[in-house]
Each structure stands twice: as C-alpha cells, then as structure tokens.
Amino acid sequence: MSFVPADFAIPQGFRTPDFVLRPLTIHDLIKDYAAVMSSRERLLGVFGPGADWPRADMSLEEDLVDLGWHQGEFDRRRSFAYTVMALQDGGGEGECLGCAYIYPAERAGYEAKAYCWVRTSAAALDEALFTGLRDWVAAQWPFARVAYPGRDISWADWASI
C-alpha cells in the first residue's frame, strides 16, 4: 500500500507573510544546520519523549546525510519533509526558521502523522507554523485522519494507541 495515491500531485508548500514552506533538499544544508544546532535544546523531544535528535555532536556531514534521506523519501513518495524559510524584502529566502514533516502513521485509526518545529529565535512563529501546517494538510492532502503527536494528541495518548 502506497502512502499517497500514485496519481496524487504532491503539494509543494505554502507561503505566509512571514515564511515559505517548501520541500527540503540537500541544498538547504547550511541554513538547516544553523537552525538545528542553534536550537538544539528547544528541539530535543520534538519527535517524542526520549528522542535524542539533534545530538550535540551532530556534524554537518551527518546533517547532509539526513537531508539526503529526506529528499530521497520525498522523491519516492514515502514521506515528506519541508523546510520553513524566512522571507526577505523582495520575496527572497532568508534564514531557515524550521521544518515540517509528514510521515505514514504506524498507529491504527490514522493515515499520517505530522511534526513541525521552529528555531529558538523564531519561537514566536511556532503556533503560526503549526496552524498553517494543519490547515494545509487538511486542505491539500488526501488523508482522512492525521495525528500531530505532542500537539493535538499527547505523547502518552499517542504511545497508547
């Protein structure tokens, strides 16, 4: 069973007055690494209690491997990672503000699970990113039920499903 139908056109993201969400690629390495490593304490546990990402000693090369994996999964339509970039005057991209991910859900009753994070210096945009992601997934993706662990369902409840 495929995560998304073969004829489904994968959404390429969305734009707000504050940021653009678009597919994450290896070309985002430098900006992604800066966002991740400058916000390590904030990001610990974003994928669940006890998750050790990002490790304090994560190298640039390890982040490149991670981004390459995400890009390959996106290309194979198995999971979808997006970067969140600040907008500069004139519409260009500034620094990486965070990321968002859509994965197949391994829990009964859900078709997908989604996560998002923002760097420490963009913490004020956390709710806007989450709300935008949730609304975009509901409007543009073919899933009837999506979980947002740690957001709309507690980690304890998610673990018990």
Side-chain angles (χ1 to χ4, degrees):
M1 179 74 109
S2 178
F3 182 37
V4 294
D7 61 349
F8 177 68
I10 305 302
Q12 295 301 298
F14 64 89
R15 182 179 290 258
T16 75
D18 297 310
F19 61 83
V20 61
L21 181 138
R22 61 156 177 79
L24 177 67
T25 75
I26 59 171
H27 302 289
D28 299 312
L29 176 63
I30 301 302
K31 291 180 179 182
D32 180 79
Y33 187 74
V36 169
M37 298 311 286
S38 70
S39 305
R40 183 177 177 279
E41 294 301 318
R42 177 180 171 76
L43 301 181
L44 285 171
V46 74
F47 295 108
D52 68 349
W53 181 88
R55 290 186 349 270
D57 63 347
M58 183 175 77
S59 69
L60 186 66
E61 291 80 12
E62 289 170 318
D63 195 33
L64 176 60
V65 170
D66 190 39
L67 269 57
W69 181 84
H70 283 300
Q71 185 174 344
E73 288 291 286
F74 194 108
D75 292 344
R76 288 185 286 284
R77 303 167 63 92
R78 296 196 299 217
S79 67
F80 304 94
Y82 294 84
T83 189
V84 180
M85 293 289 186
L87 293 174
Q88 296 180 322
D89 291 337
E93 291 182 0
E95 70 181 354
C96 174
L97 300 176
C99 286
Y101 312 87
I102 304 169
Y103 296 116
E106 68 280 358
R107 305 289 200 278
Y110 293 92
E111 295 169 280
K113 61 183 178 179
Y115 306 92
C116 62
W117 59 265
V118 295
R119 68 189 300 153
T120 301
S121 63
L125 293 174
D126 186 72
E127 188 60 32
L129 173 59
F130 173 62
T131 300
L133 175 65
R134 187 185 59 217
D135 294 349
W136 176 67
V137 169
Q140 300 294 318
W141 289 81
F143 309 122
R145 192 136 187 242
V146 179
Y148 296 86
R151 298 257 187 182
D152 72 346
I153 184 170
S154 72
W155 287 114
D157 288 346
W158 182 245
S160 72
I161 296 175

